[in-house]
Every structure is written in C-alpha cells, then in structure tokens.
Amino acid sequence: EVSCVMPGPVNTELTVGIPTGPLIRNIEPQAVADAIVAAVSRPRFDVYVPRSLAGLTLLGNLMPRRARDGLARLLKADTAVQRTDWAARRAYEDRAARETHVS
C-alpha cells in the first residue's frame, strides 16, 4: 500500500516565522504522527492533516485558475514569503545552511 501524507504547516522549527492565514493554522507534530499511524492501520492514498485540507484542496482543484489565483490574493497566500519574520527564522536558516555545506 502507498499513502501520501499531506500535512499543513506543522509547529516545528521549519515553520518558525512563516505566517499562516485564516483558513490554515499550524498543527502539532503529534497530529501528523497520529495520521501516519492511522494510514498504516487502515491504508488510504490521500491523508490530509488536518482533514479540512482535503476540502480546501478539492475546492481549489474545481476552481478555474483565475479564481484560484484571486482567492490566493484575497487570503494573502501570494505574499506569505514577503511577510516571513526572517529574524525569527535566523537560527533555523543558519543551521540549515551549515548542514548543506558539510562534506
């Protein structure tokens, strides 16, 4: 069996300083772990964490491209990187840069 686990932003060092929007909130790592265990116990291909992401994904897939882009602008998803708190992310970014340059 194959399962694709697709979590939203998870409260880990990776998401520090990255803004979320009104429809998507950070989730706890335990929620992702629980979803993985459930998928192993009862296999299914698409595993969204939280489950509400399934509906948002389906809705997005049904929308024409222009409507999807307009919704992204309305929710400010198109400017998330610009609104990132880079000072809060500095420790993570520095460590990631060091680890990629290790021989």
Side-chain angles (χ1 to χ4, degrees):
E1 298 286 338
V2 173
S3 294
C4 295
V5 178
M6 296 165 278
V10 182
N11 278 330
T12 64
E13 187 182 20
L14 180 62
T15 61
V16 169
I18 297 175
T20 57
L23 297 179
I24 299 177
R25 298 281 180 224
N26 284 11
I27 57 175
E28 295 303 319
Q30 187 63 47
V32 179
D34 292 344
I36 292 168
V37 170
V40 169
S41 302
R42 198 181 94 217
R44 50 182 196 187
F45 186 75
D46 293 319
V47 180
Y48 291 91
V49 186
R51 287 183 183 236
S52 60
L53 284 181
L56 289 174
T57 301
L58 177 62
L59 178 63
N61 290 339
L62 293 174
M63 296 173 81
R65 176 71 185 247
R66 288 180 87 158
R68 199 169 48 239
D69 290 348
L71 183 60
R73 281 191 301 278
L74 180 69
L75 297 174
K76 299 188 186 298
D78 61 331
T79 61
V81 172
Q82 295 167 342
R83 295 179 290 117
T84 296
D85 181 349
W86 294 105
R89 291 191 56 75
R90 180 169 298 280
Y92 171 77
E93 297 288 340
D94 289 348
R95 185 176 57 75
R98 279 192 312 274
E99 290 178 5
T100 57
H101 291 101
V102 174
S103 319

